[in-house]
Amino acid sequence: LYLQPAIVAIACPSCMDFERAGGNVFVDKAMPTDKRRQVVDHLAVSASIVEKFFGGLSEHPMILACSTEDCYRRLGGKTARGAAFGAVAIRLSPRGLDNAIATHELAHIELHARLGMWTTMRRLPAWFDEGLAVLVSNDPRYLGPPKPTDLSGREVRQLVSLGQWGAASGQRSRGTYASAYREVKAWYDRAGHAGLMTLIEELRQGVSFDRTFERAGFNERAPAP
């Protein structure tokens, strides 16, 4: 029976040559001591950003951080700088050991944890999931004015499933993330933290995404915690 390498590492970090660097952070054995401290510090900052945005943390995922591309490939990683596994863990490549990438992935984890995996899989559109993660991380790659290669708002909101998102982002990576960010930011500027919490709760209760998205988007904006 084949198990994805990242799943093996989550269950048994030492089996994949990972060591605990501090708290819930595990790094490959080849990572130098000074780099380990830097990674742990960066991840603490990322966690604090996510905690402030959501008003608390409901999940403290395992973090698998690689110092080499070989390590990342052994975890099943390819071109992406990082990836979240449900609400359980994230893996980070050497290119993802910065605040923007780590914050992006931790934002996914927190949202998924609050919704629950069934709701995340069945009711959360990929474009909103990714756009919110960019909003939380404030990733400079996707900020700024629209570019000709960006998707329109209508186009990006059609990327509901992970398969649809993957196909589109594989062709126009920057354009999909930037467009999703603009759609979510425009909504969050109206809905605020209170609207986001309403959306999460109503999705958990079985309300359709489109219905709660539109309704929460017209709430009076409440200050973030």
Side-chain angles (χ1 to χ4, degrees):
L1 177 64
Y2 174 78
L3 293 176
Q4 189 179 93
I7 302 302
V8 176
I10 292 168
C12 178
S14 63
C15 297
M16 296 294 290
D17 291 330
F18 278 85
E19 299 175 334
R20 189 188 300 272
N24 58 338
V25 180
F26 291 80
V27 302
D28 60 290
K29 290 182 179 180
M31 185 178 290
T33 301
D34 58 340
K35 182 64 174 179
R36 296 183 184 206
R37 288 194 295 265
Q38 185 183 58
V39 167
V40 170
D41 289 344
H42 274 317
L43 290 169
V45 171
S46 294
S48 69
I49 292 171
V50 175
E51 181 176 20
K52 181 177 180 180
F53 183 87
F54 282 94
L57 290 177
S58 56
E59 192 65 42
H60 298 275
M62 174 185 287
I63 300 170
L64 300 167
C66 284
S67 63
T68 67
E69 292 295 339
D70 181 62
C71 164
Y72 196 58
R73 286 192 293 270
R74 283 191 287 110
L75 283 183
K78 296 181 180 179
T79 58
R81 299 187 184 194
F85 293 87
V88 177
I90 65 174
R91 70 182 175 203
L92 296 172
S93 77
R95 295 164 285 111
L97 300 180
D98 60 45
N99 289 132
I101 303 302
T103 304
H104 182 109
E105 300 304 335
L106 288 172
H108 281 314
I109 292 281
E110 184 61 25
L111 180 60
H112 298 171
R114 287 172 179 253
L115 287 172
M117 288 314 300
W118 175 256
T119 301
T120 297
M121 294 171 61
R122 302 285 294 181
R123 298 186 181 278
L124 182 66
W127 69 265
F128 184 87
D129 193 12
E130 295 295 345
L132 187 70
V134 175
L135 177 67
V136 179
S137 64
N138 203 34
D139 192 327
R141 293 176 297 168
Y142 309 123
L143 310 183
K147 295 184 178 182
T149 54
D150 291 356
L151 276 67
S152 69
R154 180 176 177 276
E155 288 174 322
V156 80
R157 287 180 65 166
Q158 292 177 345
L159 305 179
V160 176
S161 71
L162 290 176
Q164 291 169 326
W165 179 267
S169 62
Q171 296 174 349
R172 288 189 280 179
S173 178
R174 192 269 173 196
T176 52
Y177 283 93
S179 300
Y181 160 74
R182 283 195 298 274
E183 288 296 298
V184 173
K185 185 178 187 303
W187 175 82
Y188 191 79
D189 284 346
R190 299 190 306 269
H193 181 262
L196 177 62
M197 295 301 105
T198 296
L199 181 142
I200 290 172
E201 181 57 31
E202 291 194 350
L203 287 180
R204 287 179 58 87
Q205 293 175 1
V207 179
S208 73
F209 175 84
D210 288 342
R211 181 180 178 188
T212 188
F213 179 82
E214 295 300 332
R215 187 163 58 196
F218 288 99
N219 285 347
E220 182 179 351
R221 196 183 195 287

